[in-house]
Amino acid sequence: MTNRLTSITRLLMVVGLGVALSGCNFFTRLANVGSEPPLSQIENPVAQKGYQPVSMPMPRPEPVLQQANSLWRPGSKAFFKDQRANQVGDIVTVLVEIEDKATLNNSTDTTRASSESAGFAGLLGLETQVTKVLPEGTSADALIDLGSDHSVSGSGAVNRNETINMEIAAIVTQILPNGNMVIVGRQEVRVNFESRDLSVTGVVRPEDITSSNTIESAKIAEARIAYGGRGHLTDVQQGRYGQQLFDIIFPF
């Protein structure tokens, strides 16, 4: 009876743990059955939970060079006005172009053989006492004979190909002391019952922004680019909560 109660208690604990892990996500998904995933509200990136201003090593400030009787501004790419983003709240278009290819092939094949033998033919007459301790037929000059063989063979291969070409508008959220800008951008696209999310953040130099107010993702320092989805297809491609919990806990 005690064992049965213990089993029931453990089962209830596992079920309770599963419900706790799913949390509000379970009820949210249950409420959205038969409907498309909702889009999130537009929020101020600086006011979002977990936002932290970027702090990086800065060079010594340099005095601004003033050019008298000149209509041209240093650093400007337009004669009348620079249309590139340069203040907090300005918008810059990020050209996300990622094309990663990696092919690795490793092969290992090692073989080792060793043999050792030792004995003593004479040592103050003690060699005659060996047969009294060890079985008959033992020879003192061949007491130890060791041998070993070792062989390792392994191979591995990695073939990866990733391509992402997208455009996203990002907002300047911070101007660093050296003039570099922190940008944050997020884009959501919903098609039928599947939502695709793209987010990008990082630090850019004003000089890398083109005259058309665009910048390549390869020129973003400390870039954090995420591309994923939410909806029915994504749920089907993921394992159930119980399976994920089992994979974490089960050691074999």
Side-chain angles (χ1 to χ4, degrees):
M1 185 65 178
T2 303
N3 295 334
R4 185 177 180 181
L5 291 176
T6 303
S7 302
I8 295 175
T9 303
R10 292 179 179 177
L11 179 60
L12 293 176
M13 291 177 61
V14 173
V15 174
L17 180 60
V19 174
L21 290 176
S22 60
C24 297
N25 188 34
F26 170 79
F27 298 101
T28 302
R29 293 176 56 188
L30 187 62
N32 293 330
V33 171
S35 61
E36 65 277 1
L39 299 179
S40 59
Q41 299 294 331
I42 299 176
E43 299 179 357
N44 184 1
V46 179
Q48 291 184 1
K49 182 179 180 180
Y51 174 82
Q52 294 182 354
V54 177
S55 177
M56 302 183 68
M58 294 291 109
R60 222 181 316 177
E62 298 181 0
V64 179
L65 179 61
Q66 301 291 343
Q67 296 181 355
N69 301 326
S70 177
L71 298 178
W72 186 262
R73 292 186 302 166
S76 177
K77 291 189 177 182
F79 185 79
F80 295 102
K81 183 178 180 181
D82 191 356
Q83 301 294 332
R84 298 174 301 172
N86 56 12
Q87 295 181 358
V88 174
D90 289 350
I91 297 177
V92 59
T93 302
V94 180
L95 306 179
V96 181
E97 297 180 358
I98 300 177
E99 187 173 355
D100 292 339
K101 293 183 179 180
T103 302
L104 302 176
N105 292 298
N106 295 324
S107 179
T108 302
D109 191 359
T110 62
T111 302
R112 180 177 63 184
S114 62
S115 178
E116 301 288 342
S117 61
F120 60 96
L123 180 61
L124 301 177
L126 296 178
E127 68 278 2
T128 59
Q129 306 298 322
V130 172
T131 56
K132 296 181 180 181
V133 180
L134 299 177
E136 295 183 0
T138 302
S139 177
D141 57 353
L143 286 178
I144 301 176
D145 189 3
L146 301 176
S148 65
D149 294 325
H150 179 73
S151 177
V152 176
S153 179
S155 61
V158 175
N159 189 359
R160 186 184 68 185
N161 189 352
E162 299 175 352
T163 302
I164 298 178
N165 293 314
M166 298 188 68
E167 296 183 5
I168 180 174
I171 300 176
V172 178
T173 59
Q174 186 180 354
I175 305 294
L176 300 179
N178 63 342
N180 292 341
M181 299 179 294
V182 180
I183 61 173
V184 176
R186 184 177 179 183
Q187 183 183 89
E188 297 183 8
V189 180
R190 187 178 65 198
V191 180
N192 295 332
F193 292 93
E194 189 71 14
S195 175
R196 290 297 176 184
D197 302 339
L198 175 63
S199 63
V200 59
T201 181
V203 181
V204 301
R205 298 189 309 168
E207 295 83 0
D208 293 332
I209 301 178
T210 65
S211 57
S212 58
N213 198 34
T214 61
I215 186 171
E216 299 177 2
S217 59
K219 297 182 180 180
I220 302 178
E222 296 296 325
R224 302 293 186 269
I225 301 174
Y227 179 67
R230 294 178 292 111
H232 293 176
L233 296 179
T234 304
D235 292 342
V236 173
Q237 293 174 353
Q238 293 182 354
R240 300 293 86 189
Y241 293 119
Q243 183 64 41
Q244 295 181 19
L245 178 62
F246 181 80
D247 293 339
I248 296 174
I249 298 177
F250 196 64
F252 303 105

